[in-house]
Amino acid sequence: MLFLRQISGQISGMALGLAGALILSAGLSAAPASAGQVSPPPLVLSPNLTEPWLLQLQPRVERRSTARRYQFKQQRQPKVRRTNWWSPRQQPVRQQPVHRQPQQAQKPRTRQIAQQYLPTVVDYDGGQKAGTIVIDTNARYLYLVQKDGTARRYGVGVGKPGFEWAGTHKVTRKAEWPDWRPPAEMRKRRPDLPVFMAGGPENPLGARALYLGSTLYRIHGSNQPWTIGHAVSSGCIRMRNEDVTDLYERVGVGTRVIVL
């Protein structure tokens, strides 16, 4: 730094000397010109011309620009997360869940006879002679006793509560696809029943009928096989159409029938 200051002082002296010489020469040149000549204007050398030389010799100092000095950092606005940016009127309507009562599982009602009521041959030791029909209303079975100590067993439907009966009778008549004439007592309970219905697939008596003595009871077929094994009738003994047809061919008028 001392060396730079000495150099700067010498140069400043030289610049001042040079400026003085120029001024002196200008004064000499400013003497009255000869006739017919115009004197030039005085030459003035500004001392500012020497500043760039002096600045180059001085150490460089980094200057901050005014734009950078006064540059302010922009503050970031916090982001606002809007959950419900729509107006209340534009909000979607949320439907309340409907609480339904659980439905009780219903067992599907089969349209066929239960397997245990299908016809089969079983051992029999009830003491009744061959050819006798024995009906067990509690177990819902009809037995046709055979000679070899066995019996053909069929599933049956029996009288509903209040219409049960028991006794011994004989088959007094047989009929294929019988007509149906509901008794007066039945029509009194069921006014919707017809007075007469011709035999056929829609007839409640089914394909065959065995009439028991002088009573209103019969062993007959049914177009509702799913009722076999249940107490559903008004006292008659129901069988599947296939089963009553098989029984019809095996017994005749006069066959003894025991209802337990």
Side-chain angles (χ1 to χ4, degrees), residues 110-119 155 225-230:
T110 178
R111 309 297 289 181
Q112 299 297 326
I113 185 174
Q115 294 293 324
Q116 66 266 27
Y117 296 117
L118 293 176
W226 57 89
T227 63
I228 304 303
H230 301 279

Side-chain angles (χ1 to χ4, degrees), residues 17-31:
L18 180 58
L22 292 176
I23 295 172
L24 180 59
S25 62
L28 293 177
S29 61

Side-chain angles (χ1 to χ4, degrees), residues 7-234:
I7 296 296
S8 177
Q10 293 178 3
I11 293 175
S12 300
M14 292 174 60
L16 293 175
L18 180 58
L22 292 176
I23 295 172
L24 180 59
S25 62
L28 293 177
S29 61
S34 59
Q37 293 182 352
V38 179
S39 59
L43 179 62
V44 178
L45 182 61
S46 174
N48 295 333
L49 295 176
T50 61
E51 287 186 4
W53 300 341
L54 297 177
L55 293 176
Q56 292 179 4
L57 297 176
Q58 293 179 2
R60 295 181 180 180
V61 180
E62 184 178 358
R63 296 182 180 180
R64 296 180 180 179
S65 62
T66 305
R68 185 176 180 182
R69 187 185 306 171
Y70 295 99
Q71 184 177 4
F72 298 97
K73 295 182 179 180
Q74 296 181 358
Q75 297 182 358
R76 296 182 178 179
Q77 297 294 332
K79 294 183 179 180
V80 180
R81 186 176 181 181
R82 299 179 180 179
T83 55
N84 294 332
W85 53 269
W86 51 80
S87 63
R89 294 184 180 180
Q90 294 176 344
Q91 292 184 7
V93 179
R94 296 182 181 179
Q95 297 181 355
Q96 296 296 332
V98 179
H99 299 283
R100 297 181 178 178
Q101 295 294 335
Q103 296 181 356
Q104 297 181 355
Q106 297 181 355
K107 295 182 179 180
R109 188 175 182 180
T110 178
R111 309 297 289 181
Q112 299 297 326
I113 185 174
Q115 294 293 324
Q116 66 266 27
Y117 296 117
L118 293 176
T120 186
V121 176
V122 297
D123 294 332
Y124 179 77
D125 57 356
Q128 303 297 332
K129 66 178 182 179
T132 303
I133 295 175
V134 180
I135 302 173
D136 187 345
T137 56
N138 290 327
R140 275 62 160 172
Y141 287 121
L142 182 150
Y143 299 89
L144 175 59
V145 181
Q146 302 185 125
K147 295 180 180 180
D148 57 353
T150 63
R152 299 187 66 85
R153 190 184 73 181
Y154 306 88
V156 296
V158 299
K160 56 189 174 182
F163 293 89
E164 308 95 336
W165 65 278
T168 301
H169 297 279
K170 290 185 177 181
V171 175
T172 54
R173 187 165 74 92
K174 297 170 58 177
E176 299 182 6
W177 296 106
D179 299 331
W180 183 40
R181 292 175 175 83
E185 297 83 353
M186 184 179 292
R187 285 191 287 108
K188 186 176 181 180
R189 296 191 305 268
R190 295 277 308 276
D192 58 315
L193 294 178
V195 177
F196 170 82
M197 179 180 287
E202 300 299 325
N203 194 302
L205 298 184
R208 303 290 187 270
L210 305 174
Y211 294 84
L212 302 180
S214 59
T215 68
L216 299 177
Y217 301 124
R218 294 165 288 258
I219 301 173
H220 63 81
S222 174
N223 53 16
Q224 297 177 335
W226 57 89
T227 63
I228 304 303
H230 301 279
V232 291
S233 73
S234 297

